[in-house]
Amino acid sequence: MEMSKKALLVVSFGTSHSDTRQRTIDRIESALASALPERKLYRAWTSGMIIRKLRREQGIIIPTVTEAMEKMHIDGITDVLIQPTHILNGIENDIMTREICSWEDRFDKITFSTPLLTDEEDCRMTVEAIAKELRPREEDTALVLMGHGTEHYTNPVYAALDYRFKEMGYDNIFMGTVEAYPSVENTLNTVRKNSRIKNIVLAPFMIVAGDHAKNDMAGDEDDSWKSIFESAGYRTQCVLKGLGEFQPFVDIFVKHAKDADDR
């Protein structure tokens, strides 16, 4: 009876692309459920736009954070562990936290775990994971990562991560963002300073390889990252894999959840 009262709520931004969802969000949820078998798994997404699109176009029902909290309350859950699959403690994570905190008086215990990049150890493990899974071995080839970027005060984490790549000896890995700093132009200018680089591998620094990866990064429009780097004279290839497809990143989320469960 006691086991049935404990739950794990995995909160993701979400994606309308079922192919990448199965390989990333679903994979992370499955790994978390296996790591914490005493907790019943629940899911919530924070993007209302994606939730509405899936319901309208595919008939797929994904609960919002509030709907998931209500369902757990109805199910008699008393102890909830929250594991976000967000990259940063940014806007989506802040909104999620406020929504969940409004339910505090209806549960005995609510424990928050952390997004991918929260402390220095997370950054170190992320650098090592990227280097292991994606770093090009050819001296004339660079890896350029496309992060989302945010207006939130946590956005400097992207620039800090770019610095950490270089500090840890990976001078052919670069970090840019779609919507903030470093921009694709900033990143291209930095790449140009290394005259030996002739080839570019583009990969999303996002949990899923959805719209941003398929269009903003790998699309054929003139303003896609692929087109921008090709126009600058680089031979370019794209890796359409979200971070959730790589085991080291799944392992980081599992570690966060287990650490939080032990608190």
Side-chain angles (χ1 to χ4, degrees), residues 6-10 32-33 36 39-42 81 83 257:
K6 299 176 74 173
L8 168 67
L9 175 61
V10 182
L32 288 166
L36 298 170
R39 291 184 177 273
K40 183 178 179 181
L41 178 67
Y42 291 80
L81 172 61
Q83 177 59 61

Side-chain angles (χ1 to χ4, degrees), residues 4-262:
S4 67
K5 294 183 179 180
K6 299 176 74 173
L8 168 67
L9 175 61
V10 182
V11 181
S12 304
F13 179 79
T15 178
S16 60
H17 297 261
S18 60
D19 54 347
T20 189
R21 184 193 73 236
Q22 293 166 2
R23 297 194 299 264
T24 56
I25 295 174
D26 291 0
R27 177 178 180 176
I28 294 169
E29 289 176 349
S30 177
L32 288 166
S34 295
L36 298 170
E38 73 283 2
R39 291 184 177 273
K40 183 178 179 181
L41 178 67
Y42 291 80
R43 161 191 283 181
W45 288 5
T46 58
S47 174
M49 180 183 70
I50 292 175
I51 289 172
R52 291 189 295 273
K53 182 178 180 180
L54 282 181
R55 181 183 294 120
R56 180 178 66 250
E57 297 181 359
Q58 301 180 36
I60 297 174
I61 308 299
I62 304 290
T64 64
V65 170
T66 295
E67 289 169 345
M69 296 301 291
E70 183 176 12
K71 180 66 166 65
M72 288 188 291
H73 181 58
I74 292 171
D75 289 348
I77 299 296
T78 58
D79 180 339
V80 184
L81 172 61
I82 313 295
Q83 177 59 61
T85 67
H86 302 143
I87 297 286
L88 303 176
N89 291 278
I91 295 171
E92 295 294 323
N93 213 69
D94 284 352
I95 294 172
M96 173 204 76
T97 301
R98 287 197 297 270
E99 288 184 33
I100 290 173
C101 284
S102 69
W103 288 80
E104 281 183 328
D105 61 343
R106 279 162 281 189
F107 294 89
D108 292 342
K109 183 179 181 181
I110 297 177
T111 304
F112 288 93
S113 183
T114 52
L116 182 70
L117 295 174
T118 301
D119 59 25
E120 185 59 31
E121 178 68 6
D122 292 339
C123 289
R124 184 192 62 77
M125 289 190 296
T126 294
V127 168
E128 291 179 346
I130 289 290
K132 175 185 177 183
E133 299 290 346
L134 289 167
R135 184 193 181 200
R137 301 301 182 224
E138 300 82 5
E139 290 189 0
D140 64 349
T141 303
L143 171 66
V144 174
L145 298 166
M146 185 190 74
H148 189 279
T150 176
E151 296 177 354
H152 195 268
Y153 63 81
T154 53
N155 189 75
V157 169
Y158 290 106
L161 202 58
D162 182 79
Y163 178 83
R164 284 301 304 271
F165 283 122
K166 313 303 186 295
E167 183 187 52
M168 292 175 66
Y170 307 118
D171 61 353
N172 65 337
I173 302 180
F174 301 84
M175 173 67 73
T177 70
V178 181
E179 298 187 1
Y181 179 88
S183 67
V184 62
E185 291 80 15
N186 299 139
T187 307
L188 174 58
N189 288 336
T190 304
V191 170
R192 279 174 165 157
K193 294 176 182 178
N194 191 327
S195 59
R196 78 170 187 271
I197 295 175
K198 308 298 180 186
N199 308 303
I200 298 293
V201 175
L202 293 171
F205 188 77
M206 302 176 183
I207 299 303
V208 304
D211 280 330
H212 283 305
K214 294 175 180 178
N215 299 314
D216 296 314
M217 188 188 82
D220 294 325
E221 299 296 323
D222 291 342
D223 60 350
S224 76
W225 286 35
K226 178 171 76 75
S227 296
I228 289 171
F229 275 92
E230 286 178 344
S231 296
Y234 295 99
R235 292 186 294 274
T236 304
Q237 67 179 91
C238 298
V239 176
L240 287 174
K241 285 187 174 184
L243 298 182
E245 296 190 48
F246 300 105
Q247 191 60 43
F249 292 101
V250 177
D251 292 342
I252 291 174
F253 285 119
V254 169
K255 179 181 184 300
H256 285 191
K258 293 176 76 172
D259 288 348
D261 193 45
D262 289 338

